[in-house]
Amino acid sequence: MTDVATAGPSDTRQTGVLATFAESPFAVKAVLFGVLVNKLGSFIQVFLVLFMTSRGFSDVQGGVALGVYGAGSVLGVLLGGTFTDRIGARRTIILGMVGTAVLLVAVLHVRMYPALLASVGLAGLISQVYRPAAAAFIAELIPKNRQVMISAMYRLALNVGTTAAPLLGTMLVAVSYDLLFYGEAAAALGYAVIVLLALPREGSAPAKPERAAASASAAPAAPATERPAGGYLAVLRDRRYVAYLVAMLLNAAVYIQYLSTLPLAVRDAGFSTFWYGVMVAINGAVVICFELLMTKVVQNWRVRTVLTVGFCLLGAGMALYTLPGGLAVFVVGTLLWTLAEIIEGPTMFAYPAIAAPPAASGRYLGAAHAMFGIGSAIGPAAGVALWSGLGRTAWLIIGAVSVLALIPAWFAVGRVGTTSSLADSSG
């Protein structure tokens, strides 16, 4: 894992939103656009349970299918990390998107429940292999002092697509459930075509701007086929990075409570589902409208400062739900943890690519996405169990977990300054 050095003069360049986007290579812009296209067509996870019940399966069977899809997604980012390091980001994204299209159409023609579960799990797996590949490709072409900003742009593409997809899916469902699968398959193929046409073949990508000046005097590069051995064992041997993964898991387990424990709290407080929808809408609107602007400020903070402020605000927002006060408490609590999200999110997901050894960035990113996914999977069960046993007091424990996650996070980032001040030497 990389250590810290003082940032050089080149790190003081303007890193605003427009400057970062305008000066990004065309291939990076294409990847961001492709991510948006793909997420706009991400219908299946949202409507899978309803699709299953429309086929005559029970609610429980539909829930199991959704769980299998989620498990496949976690495995998919790990597989995507390995593929990225071995065959390159371009091939990985194309393989993932074409495979997704084929499997989604296949699901429509599977009738037996075990085979349907297998198909859904494979679709979840192959649909996510692009994530570490896309992130690694972007990180390779963007200077370090702009990694956090470009991470915020990547997250914006994900969030806009994720917000709009259910609305588009609802219109398709009104016609036929089949259109959901064909629509998502078309979006995946669209992303594959964008990558095929816009991204350079492996080995012909332009040098990262900050490295271009030194390329003439640099030592000969290792052959493109030379890859570090050990698979994910190489990641696990990095103790600081393992601590970072633990912090990500805990952070995700706390953050995901807005989808599991919060609706129960709103209901038990005597408010209708409409008001829970308002809380979710507040979060989505703030993230989409203000995360890039917040990132312009936050990218200049020390990594420890970003994580400390973000984790503490996340914990405070959740813990605030303990207080009486009706809707005002729910609104203020939601605003607090939403503020945490727009402060910590871009840095948290930019850091793995910056800290990883160059030839292992895919696996480092894959491990990070997988741990966030695992935290998102176990968090709802843990939160609901706490809520069932302790009631509103559960929010205090949930908030405390977020603050305690700073222990592994601080150990992980060590003396790291801002993300633009990371050196290339190993620590």
Side-chain angles (χ1 to χ4, degrees):
M1 192 165 174
T2 54
D3 210 331
V4 165
T6 303
S10 63
D11 293 321
T12 61
R13 292 175 299 167
Q14 174 58 249
T15 55
V17 179
L18 296 179
T20 298
F21 185 78
E23 296 177 18
S24 296
F26 173 75
V28 170
K29 297 172 184 174
V31 170
L32 293 175
F33 180 68
V35 168
L36 175 60
V37 169
N38 184 54
K39 293 303 292 184
L40 285 172
S42 296
F43 308 127
I44 304 309
Q45 190 168 15
V46 178
F47 294 95
L48 183 58
V49 174
L50 293 176
F51 167 75
M52 295 288 291
T53 55
S54 74
R55 282 282 187 90
F57 297 105
S58 68
D59 293 347
V60 172
Q61 288 175 313
V64 170
L66 184 59
V68 169
Y69 184 95
S73 299
V74 172
L75 295 176
V77 292
L78 292 172
L79 185 64
T82 299
F83 279 5
T84 300
D85 291 335
R86 294 190 180 278
I87 67 174
R90 182 176 182 268
R91 294 190 186 98
T92 299
I93 296 172
I94 294 172
L95 174 66
M97 293 297 97
V98 173
T100 297
V102 172
L103 283 168
L104 287 174
V105 174
V107 169
L108 286 174
H109 302 285
V110 176
R111 299 296 174 180
M112 296 180 63
Y113 186 65
L116 191 55
L117 286 182
S119 300
V120 166
L122 286 173
L125 183 150
I126 199 68
S127 69
Q128 295 301 307
V129 299
Y130 84 91
R131 296 194 66 169
F137 181 84
I138 291 172
E140 178 61 25
L141 296 184
I142 296 296
K144 287 179 180 176
N145 64 316
R146 291 182 171 172
Q147 291 285 339
V148 176
M149 181 60 74
I150 207 71
S151 175
M153 293 180 182
Y154 182 88
R155 283 169 50 84
L156 177 64
L158 290 174
N159 287 326
V160 170
T162 301
T163 301
L167 302 177
L168 297 174
T170 300
M171 291 187 287
L172 294 177
V173 167
V175 180
S176 168
Y177 275 105
D178 288 7
L179 287 180
L180 287 177
F181 291 83
Y182 288 118
E184 184 161 341
L189 288 177
Y191 189 13
V193 170
I194 291 170
V195 170
L196 181 66
L197 297 178
L199 269 62
R201 295 180 182 274
E202 272 70 33
S204 61
K208 185 185 289 189
E210 65 189 13
R211 297 176 182 171
S215 60
S217 59
T225 56
E226 183 179 330
R227 304 292 181 185
Y232 278 96
L233 291 178
V235 178
L236 295 177
R237 284 194 291 268
D238 188 338
R239 291 182 299 167
R240 286 187 181 273
Y241 194 68
V242 169
Y244 191 80
L245 295 177
V246 171
M248 286 196 77
L249 184 148
L250 295 175
N251 181 271
V254 173
Y255 169 75
I256 203 66
Q257 299 305 316
Y258 87 97
L259 291 178
S260 57
T261 310
L262 180 57
L264 299 179
V266 171
R267 181 199 64 189
D268 292 354
F271 300 106
S272 67
T273 304
F274 168 80
W275 291 110
Y276 168 66
V278 169
M279 303 302 120
V280 175
I282 288 173
N283 168 255
V286 171
V287 171
I288 290 173
C289 294
F290 298 107
E291 184 168 277
L292 285 177
L293 297 177
M294 179 63 73
T295 301
K296 187 175 181 180
V297 176
V298 171
Q299 66 184 342
N300 298 314
W301 295 2
R302 295 176 63 86
V303 175
R304 272 188 172 178
T305 301
V306 175
L307 297 182
T308 300
V309 173
F311 282 36
C312 288
L313 281 174
L314 177 63
M318 297 295 174
L320 191 69
Y321 290 146
T322 307
L323 301 177
L327 283 175
V329 167
F330 285 116
V331 171
V332 174
T334 300
L335 286 172
L336 280 178
W337 63 257
T338 299
L339 181 61
E341 180 180 358
I342 66 176
I343 288 175
E344 73 184 16
T347 297
M348 183 182 297
F349 284 96
Y351 184 77
I354 301 171
S361 60
R363 277 166 287 173
Y364 271 63
L365 283 159
H369 285 290
M371 291 302 284
F372 196 85
I374 293 171
S376 298
I378 66 175
V384 171
L386 286 172
W387 176 262
S388 299
L390 301 175
R392 288 192 306 184
T393 306
W395 290 116
L396 293 177
I397 298 175
I398 292 169
V401 170
S402 182
V403 177
L404 290 174
L406 280 171
I407 297 174
W410 270 51
F411 170 74
V413 300
R415 303 184 307 279
V416 170
T418 63
T419 51
S420 63
S421 68
L422 287 173
D424 290 332
S425 59
S426 299

